[in-house]
């Protein structure tokens, strides 16, 4: 069965190199490192607080998320530490009402970001509502001093064969990760 698992560690214990090490495991179809924290966003007279996720391009496929408009974070954005953002649909509605935010700018913690995309609405509740999240290149997010790599999300083509024991993780990374079922996995 296909599935998604997340590896979580204490703040600053996971690295982009850990994500690269996981890519070598059999049956993995994607690895998406992530950093997160809460930020204040503003556009003209509107503002909101949202969960900011620093991501790589793989995040979209691993999480099975879709864009409604524009582009997602690219490898070029990650390499260049681009100051770009993809808005969740709820954040876009709060800051831009019915206007198209793509190509516009928003302030995130008093830094200007160019909006490159808007996510398709998925719903949820509170800070677990992905419509109220924003996405920036992981390298840009780590430039905010409070963000460090805290989660590696992996997608497996065969969850039954993908062991969640530390011995299945490349030795360089095993001490800094623990695995938890993603909410989309069936409970055993």
């Amino acid at each position: 069965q296909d599935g998604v698992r997340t590896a979580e560690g204490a703040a600053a214990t996971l690295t982009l190199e850990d994500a690269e090490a996981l890519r070598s495991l059999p049956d993995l179809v994607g690895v998406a490192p992530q950093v997160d924290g809460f930020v204040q966003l503003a556009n003209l007279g509107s503002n909101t607080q949202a969960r900011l996720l620093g991501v790589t391009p793989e995040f979209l496929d691993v999480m099975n998320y879709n864009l409604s408009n524009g582009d997602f974070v690219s490898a070029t954005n990650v390499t260049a530490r681009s100051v770009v953002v993809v808005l969740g649909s709820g954040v876009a509605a709060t800051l831009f009402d019915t206007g198209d935010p793509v190509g516009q700018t928003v302030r995130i913690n008093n830094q200007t970001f160019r909006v490159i995309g808007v996510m398709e609405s998925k719903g949820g509740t509170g800070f677990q509502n992905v419509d109220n999240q924003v996405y920036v290149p992981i390298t840009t997010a780590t430039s905010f001093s409070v963000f460090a790599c805290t989660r590696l999300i992996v997608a497996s083509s065969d969850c039954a064969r993908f062991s969640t024991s530390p011995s299945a993780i490349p030795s360089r990374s095993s001490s800094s990760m623990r695995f938890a079922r993603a909410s989309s996995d069936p409970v055993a």
Side-chain angles (χ1 to χ4, degrees):
Q1 257 182 335
D2 292 351
V4 175
R5 299 215 188 266
T6 59
E8 299 180 79
T13 61
L14 298 173
T15 66
L16 293 176
E17 290 77 22
D18 291 329
E20 285 302 316
L22 283 173
R23 290 186 208 297
S24 67
L25 292 176
D27 300 317
L28 289 188
V29 294
V31 177
Q34 169 187 314
V35 303
D36 67 271
F38 291 94
V39 294
Q40 189 71 30
L41 291 97
N43 175 54
L44 302 174
S46 300
N47 69 78
T48 189
Q49 186 179 30
R51 182 174 178 212
L52 179 140
L53 301 178
V55 298
T56 60
E58 296 83 6
F59 182 84
L60 203 61
D61 290 331
V62 168
M63 295 301 293
N64 197 27
Y65 287 1
N66 296 304
L67 286 165
S68 73
N69 189 19
D71 297 312
F72 196 68
V73 172
S74 70
T76 301
N77 295 146
V78 172
T79 301
R81 294 180 183 250
S82 299
V83 188
V84 296
V85 62
V86 177
L87 303 177
S89 61
V91 174
T94 298
L95 296 180
F96 292 92
D97 194 28
T98 58
D100 182 7
V102 175
Q104 304 299 314
T105 60
V106 296
R107 307 246 338 135
I108 301 176
N109 289 357
N110 285 323
Q111 184 174 353
T112 301
F113 282 71
R114 183 175 50 88
V115 178
I116 60 170
V118 177
M119 299 299 290
E120 187 176 87
S121 181
K122 285 187 83 85
T125 59
F127 285 117
Q128 296 303 314
N129 184 344
V130 297
D131 297 343
N132 293 329
Q133 296 178 355
V134 297
Y135 309 86
V136 301
I138 193 167
T139 51
T140 304
T142 57
S143 68
F144 287 94
S145 61
V146 295
F147 295 111
C149 189
T150 57
R151 181 173 295 175
L152 298 173
I153 303 166
V154 297
S156 172
S157 61
D158 185 354
C159 281
R161 288 181 30 123
F162 183 70
S163 171
T164 59
S165 71
S167 63
I169 303 168
S171 61
R172 171 181 157 4
S173 305
S174 62
S175 65
S176 64
M177 292 185 224
R178 66 181 172 80
F179 284 85
R181 285 190 186 276
S183 61
S184 62
D185 281 351
V187 177

